[in-house]
Amino acid sequence: MKGKTIVTKSAPQRQAGSTLVVIIIAIVVVAVLGVGMYTLTSTGQLNQARAQNDAKAYYISESCIRIAASEYKAASNKNETLAGLHGRDFTMPNNQGGCSVYVYPYWFYLPSGVSYSANASPINAHFPGGVPPVERDGTDAISIYTGVRLRLYRPSSPSTNAVAVVNTASIGSFSNSVGTVVTFNLSTPFPVALSAGDIFYLGYSYTSTQTAPNSGGNLILDIPSSDTDYLTAKMFPPEKGSIFVEKSGNISQYQYDQRIIATNTNPRTVTLTNIRAIPNAPAPLFPVEINNTPIYMAKSLGFRATSQVGN
């Protein structure tokens, strides 16, 4: 009879095998946790860096706008200086980045060397910058409605009072030296000769079914039924704008917070909120004159900047 050999593992060997399995599992768990922690840490650092870059971009844009505004205020020929600022690139020191500045004025002017005789039509006037956008952060530019008025202001003779009525207007291209040209065909031309430096403000004779507001109220104006594209409403600055009203030779100047266009009312309306006097301006008339009184865009100016953060 052959003998059988029975091999048995001792208790220490069994424990060693079990320990090895536990160690392998522990290594895998730690590795998975390590990858998760690394991912969370990297994501947090990336988000923090992005937030820092966003803050830098904002402050660079703000700095560039302040520089552009300072150059405009200090310039002797403000209109042509303003035109030269539109689309201009600024570089920050120490490789901190840079930005491009864009300016959107709500008035027109005649550049150096341009003049017109009395009753001339058409005339070419210029935005001293780009064409203002309809919305604050939008890309669509305003258009000029048939029947709007151009009010002449002559810095050398502020009492000069002349108004023209626009038949059609076409917006041309931008030139770095003079701004954006607009060709006005006038149904009622200016009765006086025009010369370089003359400024023109855009206006319209609105009506309203609302009560004329006092200071702090809302100015609500009817949009003409023929104005199917709301051009007489869109030409107001979308926020922080200014207007003036001329009545019996007196000019009242106002500012407002927001422009709100209502297209689902009858009649359709444009509202200028929180209407009030412009600081340091002559005391305006309240309630605000509305019906059959031209309301003009005053010297409002918008700035926009796009920035790049350095290395």
Side-chain angles (χ1 to χ4, degrees), residues 4-5 85 126 135 146 171 188 203 210 223 232 245 263 277 279 297:
K4 295 181 179 179
T5 302
L85 287 170
H126 295 72
E135 302 296 342
T146 299
I171 297 175
T188 304
Q210 307 292 325
I223 298 172
T232 55
V245 177
T263 60
M297 312 304 109

Side-chain angles (χ1 to χ4, degrees), residues 23 28 59 79 104 134-135 138 173 206 221 229 242 254 298 309:
I23 291 173
V28 172
Y59 289 118
N79 288 307
Y104 301 104
V134 174
E135 302 296 342
S173 58
Y206 296 89
L221 306 171
D229 294 321
S242 58
Y254 308 90
V309 178

